[in-house]
Amino acid sequence: RLPPLDACLAHYRERLLGADAGELDPNIVVATAEHPASCWSNAGERGAIDEVSVVVERLLDDPRLAPHVRARWLFWIGTIQMQNDQRGAAEALWARARDAAGGWNWLEFHFHRVTVRPLLEDSRRDEARERIDALKDAIDARRPLDLGDYHHLRGWLALLEDDPRLAAQHYRLALEAARRAALPAHMAAVYDAGLAQGLVAMGEEDAATEVY
């Protein structure tokens, strides 16, 4: 059994911020930092995120740090900033990430992905469709979660355009990608919710209840 999440976060903070943190491989410290940062972001614990960010920032110039590890951290912390309505800070961090990565396909895919969401939230459908089309070109078949995220965005757009049948089709494909990636059920819930919305809009309430 996995230990409780709170215990994992406390252990990580102790190890990262402790006196012996400088003796750890910076690639391990930075690569794993996104997980507690994401958890603290979901819980609204800005102080904890800032605390870790200060430590990680000191490691970003370490010559032992791999460029992709540096870029991935900058991308994720920028995404957290965007989720907290700090768009200027987010865009600055994303620019640093792209400079560090040098055209890394994974980063380009996720950069496009996170910039689609606010367009969909604001129902800016034409702009969202253009960016989703660009996203398709960056999908790597070896990463099924890329495909899942792509179909999620396509499904969301279809719901906005009152095409629930197409939305349901995309969300079923997203769930198939999640299954291939062995994504935990709670993390695939957004795909379940999208499929359920499509089914309800088609008048298939019983099927929607079975899904969600």
Side-chain angles (χ1 to χ4, degrees):
R1 294 180 57 188
L2 292 174
L5 178 60
D6 287 348
C8 291
L9 295 177
H11 178 72
Y12 185 85
R13 176 186 272 167
E14 178 183 348
R15 289 286 286 161
L16 178 64
L17 303 180
D20 61 345
E23 300 175 5
L24 301 174
D25 181 341
N27 290 285
I28 299 298
V29 176
V30 176
T32 56
E34 71 182 60
H35 302 292
S38 295
C39 291
W40 288 321
S41 177
N42 292 336
E45 296 185 29
R46 291 293 311 167
I49 297 171
D50 292 342
E51 187 179 23
V52 170
S53 296
V54 167
V55 174
V56 172
E57 186 70 29
R58 293 199 295 264
L59 299 175
L60 295 184
D61 292 327
D62 191 309
R64 296 173 294 167
L65 192 64
H68 287 180
V69 174
R70 178 185 297 109
R72 184 179 170 104
W73 165 258
L74 291 167
F75 169 76
W76 281 118
I77 201 68
T79 301
I80 289 171
Q81 298 285 33
M82 179 63 78
Q83 291 168 349
N84 285 280
D85 297 321
Q86 295 177 313
R87 186 178 185 89
E91 290 178 343
L93 286 165
W94 285 341
R96 288 176 62 193
R98 297 178 90 181
D99 287 344
W104 184 19
N105 177 272
W106 179 92
L107 184 67
E108 290 303 308
F109 175 87
H110 285 284
F111 173 75
H112 284 293
R113 177 183 65 80
V114 296
T115 54
V116 171
R117 183 184 180 96
L119 299 176
L120 292 170
E121 289 175 341
D122 294 341
S123 296
R124 293 157 61 184
R125 292 174 289 183
D126 291 341
E127 294 174 74
R129 186 182 306 104
E130 182 178 351
R131 192 163 285 278
I132 293 171
D133 287 342
L135 186 68
K136 185 177 181 180
D137 295 334
I139 292 174
D140 187 332
R142 295 169 298 180
R143 301 194 303 258
L145 287 184
D146 285 10
L147 197 59
D149 284 334
Y150 168 76
H151 284 296
H152 165 49
L153 297 173
R154 281 287 186 201
W156 189 346
L157 179 61
L159 288 172
L160 291 176
E161 295 181 330
D162 298 320
D163 191 343
R165 191 169 301 279
L166 180 61
Q169 178 182 338
H170 279 296
Y171 277 113
R172 286 191 176 100
L173 291 170
L175 285 165
E176 172 59 22
R179 185 196 63 77
R180 287 172 49 209
L183 192 69
H186 71 279
M187 296 181 70
V190 66
Y191 303 160
D192 289 321
L195 176 56
Q197 282 184 267
L199 293 170
V200 168
M202 289 189 288
E204 299 180 20
E205 287 86 357
D206 290 344
T209 300
E210 292 180 8
V211 169
Y212 197 59

